[in-house]
Short mmCIF file of all heavy atoms in Angstrom, two decimals:
data_model
loop_
_atom_site.label_atom_id
_atom_site.label_comp_id
_atom_site.label_asym_id
_atom_site.label_seq_id
_atom_site.Cartn_x
_atom_site.Cartn_y
_atom_site.Cartn_z
N HIS A 45 97.82 84.95 163.49
CA HIS A 45 98.84 85.81 162.87
C HIS A 45 100.25 85.53 163.39
O HIS A 45 101.22 85.88 162.76
CB HIS A 45 98.47 87.28 163.09
CG HIS A 45 98.35 87.63 164.55
ND1 HIS A 45 97.21 87.34 165.28
CD2 HIS A 45 99.23 88.20 165.40
CE1 HIS A 45 97.39 87.74 166.53
NE2 HIS A 45 98.61 88.27 166.63
N SER A 46 100.36 84.88 164.55
CA SER A 46 101.67 84.61 165.16
C SER A 46 102.30 83.30 164.69
O SER A 46 103.49 83.09 164.89
CB SER A 46 101.55 84.57 166.69
OG SER A 46 101.15 85.82 167.19
N PHE A 47 101.49 82.41 164.11
CA PHE A 47 101.98 81.06 163.83
C PHE A 47 101.92 80.71 162.36
O PHE A 47 100.84 80.52 161.80
CB PHE A 47 101.17 80.03 164.63
CG PHE A 47 101.28 80.21 166.11
CD1 PHE A 47 100.23 80.75 166.83
CD2 PHE A 47 102.44 79.87 166.78
CE1 PHE A 47 100.33 80.93 168.20
CE2 PHE A 47 102.55 80.05 168.14
CZ PHE A 47 101.49 80.58 168.85
N GLY A 111 98.40 80.03 179.54
CA GLY A 111 98.21 80.75 178.30
C GLY A 111 98.99 80.20 177.13
O GLY A 111 99.58 79.13 177.19
N SER A 112 98.98 80.98 176.05
CA SER A 112 99.61 80.60 174.79
C SER A 112 101.01 81.19 174.69
O SER A 112 101.21 82.38 174.95
CB SER A 112 98.78 81.14 173.61
OG SER A 112 97.45 80.74 173.72
N TYR A 113 101.95 80.37 174.27
CA TYR A 113 103.33 80.79 174.04
C TYR A 113 103.70 80.48 172.61
O TYR A 113 103.20 79.51 172.03
CB TYR A 113 104.31 80.01 174.93
CG TYR A 113 104.15 80.19 176.41
CD1 TYR A 113 103.20 79.46 177.12
CD2 TYR A 113 104.98 81.06 177.11
CE1 TYR A 113 103.08 79.60 178.49
CE2 TYR A 113 104.85 81.21 178.48
CZ TYR A 113 103.91 80.47 179.16
OH TYR A 113 103.78 80.62 180.53
N MET A 114 104.61 81.25 172.07
CA MET A 114 105.21 80.93 170.78
C MET A 114 106.63 80.45 171.05
O MET A 114 107.39 81.11 171.76
CB MET A 114 105.24 82.13 169.84
CG MET A 114 105.82 81.77 168.48
SD MET A 114 105.67 83.08 167.24
CE MET A 114 106.61 84.37 168.00
N THR A 115 106.97 79.28 170.51
CA THR A 115 108.32 78.77 170.69
C THR A 115 109.29 79.62 169.88
O THR A 115 108.97 80.06 168.77
CB THR A 115 108.41 77.29 170.27
OG1 THR A 115 108.02 77.16 168.91
CG2 THR A 115 107.54 76.42 171.16
N GLY A 116 110.47 79.84 170.43
CA GLY A 116 111.46 80.70 169.80
C GLY A 116 112.74 79.97 169.46
O GLY A 116 112.74 78.76 169.21
N GLU A 117 113.82 80.68 169.55
CA GLU A 117 115.12 80.15 169.14
C GLU A 117 115.72 79.23 170.20
O GLU A 117 115.40 79.31 171.38
CB GLU A 117 116.08 81.30 168.85
CG GLU A 117 116.38 82.14 170.08
CD GLU A 117 117.19 83.38 169.77
OE1 GLU A 117 117.19 83.84 168.61
OE2 GLU A 117 117.82 83.90 170.71
N MET A 127 115.11 76.36 174.85
CA MET A 127 114.32 77.03 173.81
C MET A 127 113.58 78.20 174.44
O MET A 127 112.90 78.05 175.45
CB MET A 127 113.31 76.06 173.21
CG MET A 127 112.38 76.71 172.19
SD MET A 127 111.08 75.57 171.65
CE MET A 127 111.98 74.69 170.38
N ARG A 128 113.71 79.36 173.82
CA ARG A 128 113.03 80.56 174.31
C ARG A 128 111.53 80.48 174.02
O ARG A 128 111.10 79.83 173.08
CB ARG A 128 113.60 81.82 173.65
CG ARG A 128 115.06 82.06 173.99
CD ARG A 128 115.53 83.42 173.49
NE ARG A 128 116.97 83.50 173.46
CZ ARG A 128 117.76 83.66 174.53
NH1 ARG A 128 117.23 83.77 175.72
NH2 ARG A 128 119.07 83.72 174.39
N LEU A 129 110.75 81.18 174.85
CA LEU A 129 109.30 81.25 174.69
C LEU A 129 108.85 82.69 174.77
O LEU A 129 109.37 83.48 175.56
CB LEU A 129 108.59 80.45 175.79
CG LEU A 129 108.83 78.94 175.82
CD1 LEU A 129 108.25 78.34 177.08
CD2 LEU A 129 108.23 78.28 174.58
N LYS A 130 107.85 83.02 173.97
CA LYS A 130 107.24 84.35 174.02
C LYS A 130 105.79 84.18 174.45
O LYS A 130 105.02 83.47 173.80
CB LYS A 130 107.30 85.02 172.65
CG LYS A 130 106.63 86.38 172.61
CD LYS A 130 106.69 86.99 171.23
CE LYS A 130 106.02 88.37 171.24
NZ LYS A 130 106.02 88.97 169.91
N GLY A 131 105.41 84.81 175.57
CA GLY A 131 104.03 84.75 176.04
C GLY A 131 103.15 85.66 175.21
O GLY A 131 103.48 86.82 174.97
N LEU A 132 102.00 85.14 174.76
CA LEU A 132 101.12 85.88 173.87
C LEU A 132 99.85 86.41 174.54
O LEU A 132 99.08 87.13 173.93
CB LEU A 132 100.71 84.99 172.69
CG LEU A 132 101.86 84.44 171.84
CD1 LEU A 132 101.31 83.51 170.77
CD2 LEU A 132 102.67 85.57 171.20
N ASP A 133 99.64 86.03 175.80
CA ASP A 133 98.42 86.41 176.51
C ASP A 133 98.74 87.28 177.71
O ASP A 133 99.88 87.28 178.20
CB ASP A 133 97.68 85.15 176.96
CG ASP A 133 97.18 84.30 175.80
OD1 ASP A 133 96.70 84.88 174.81
OD2 ASP A 133 97.26 83.06 175.90
N ASN A 136 100.61 85.57 180.54
CA ASN A 136 101.98 85.07 180.42
C ASN A 136 102.89 86.02 179.62
O ASN A 136 103.96 85.62 179.19
CB ASN A 136 102.00 83.67 179.79
CG ASN A 136 101.53 83.65 178.35
OD1 ASN A 136 101.23 84.68 177.75
ND2 ASN A 136 101.46 82.46 177.79
N ASN A 137 102.47 87.27 179.46
CA ASN A 137 103.25 88.19 178.62
C ASN A 137 104.56 88.65 179.26
O ASN A 137 105.32 89.37 178.63
CB ASN A 137 102.40 89.39 178.19
CG ASN A 137 101.88 90.20 179.36
OD1 ASN A 137 102.22 89.95 180.51
ND2 ASN A 137 101.01 91.15 179.06
N ASN A 138 104.84 88.21 180.48
CA ASN A 138 106.14 88.48 181.10
C ASN A 138 107.12 87.31 180.93
O ASN A 138 108.16 87.28 181.59
CB ASN A 138 105.97 88.78 182.60
CG ASN A 138 105.42 90.16 182.85
OD1 ASN A 138 105.70 91.09 182.10
ND2 ASN A 138 104.61 90.29 183.89
N ALA A 139 106.78 86.37 180.07
CA ALA A 139 107.63 85.18 179.92
C ALA A 139 109.06 85.54 179.53
O ALA A 139 110.01 85.00 180.10
CB ALA A 139 107.03 84.22 178.89
N GLU A 140 109.23 86.45 178.58
CA GLU A 140 110.59 86.81 178.15
C GLU A 140 111.37 87.51 179.25
O GLU A 140 112.49 87.09 179.57
CB GLU A 140 110.55 87.62 176.87
CG GLU A 140 110.15 86.77 175.66
CD GLU A 140 110.01 87.58 174.40
OE1 GLU A 140 109.07 88.40 174.32
OE2 GLU A 140 110.85 87.39 173.50
N PRO A 141 110.84 88.57 179.90
CA PRO A 141 111.62 89.18 180.97
C PRO A 141 111.84 88.25 182.17
O PRO A 141 112.83 88.39 182.88
CB PRO A 141 110.81 90.42 181.39
CG PRO A 141 109.56 90.42 180.61
CD PRO A 141 109.65 89.35 179.56
N ILE A 144 111.34 82.62 181.06
CA ILE A 144 110.61 81.35 181.06
C ILE A 144 110.91 80.66 179.73
O ILE A 144 110.61 81.19 178.66
CB ILE A 144 109.09 81.58 181.23
CG1 ILE A 144 108.80 82.36 182.52
CG2 ILE A 144 108.33 80.26 181.18
CD1 ILE A 144 109.27 81.69 183.79
N VAL A 145 111.50 79.47 179.82
CA VAL A 145 111.96 78.73 178.65
C VAL A 145 111.64 77.25 178.82
O VAL A 145 111.15 76.83 179.87
CB VAL A 145 113.48 78.93 178.44
CG1 VAL A 145 113.83 80.40 178.25
CG2 VAL A 145 114.29 78.34 179.58
N ARG A 188 106.05 77.44 166.75
CA ARG A 188 104.83 76.71 167.05
C ARG A 188 104.27 77.15 168.40
O ARG A 188 104.91 77.85 169.16
CB ARG A 188 105.09 75.20 167.05
CG ARG A 188 105.36 74.64 165.68
CD ARG A 188 105.38 73.11 165.69
NE ARG A 188 105.52 72.58 164.35
CZ ARG A 188 106.69 72.32 163.78
NH1 ARG A 188 107.82 72.55 164.42
NH2 ARG A 188 106.74 71.84 162.54
N MET A 189 103.06 76.70 168.69
CA MET A 189 102.41 77.09 169.93
C MET A 189 102.61 76.07 171.03
O MET A 189 102.54 74.86 170.80
CB MET A 189 100.91 77.30 169.73
CG MET A 189 100.27 77.91 170.97
SD MET A 189 98.51 78.28 170.75
CE MET A 189 97.83 76.64 170.89
N LEU A 190 102.85 76.57 172.23
CA LEU A 190 102.81 75.81 173.46
C LEU A 190 101.68 76.41 174.28
O LEU A 190 101.64 77.63 174.49
CB LEU A 190 104.14 75.90 174.21
CG LEU A 190 104.15 75.45 175.67
CD1 LEU A 190 103.70 74.00 175.80
CD2 LEU A 190 105.53 75.63 176.27
#
Side-chain angles (χ1 to χ4, degrees):
H45 58 279
S46 296
F47 298 105
S112 306
Y113 297 83
M114 182 171 61
T115 58
E117 64 187 21
M127 176 187 276
R128 296 189 196 284
L129 296 171
K130 178 181 181 182
L132 302 176
D133 295 320
N136 66 3
N137 60 6
N138 285 326
E140 288 176 292
I144 303 300
V145 301
R188 290 190 175 90
M189 189 176 76
L190 166 58

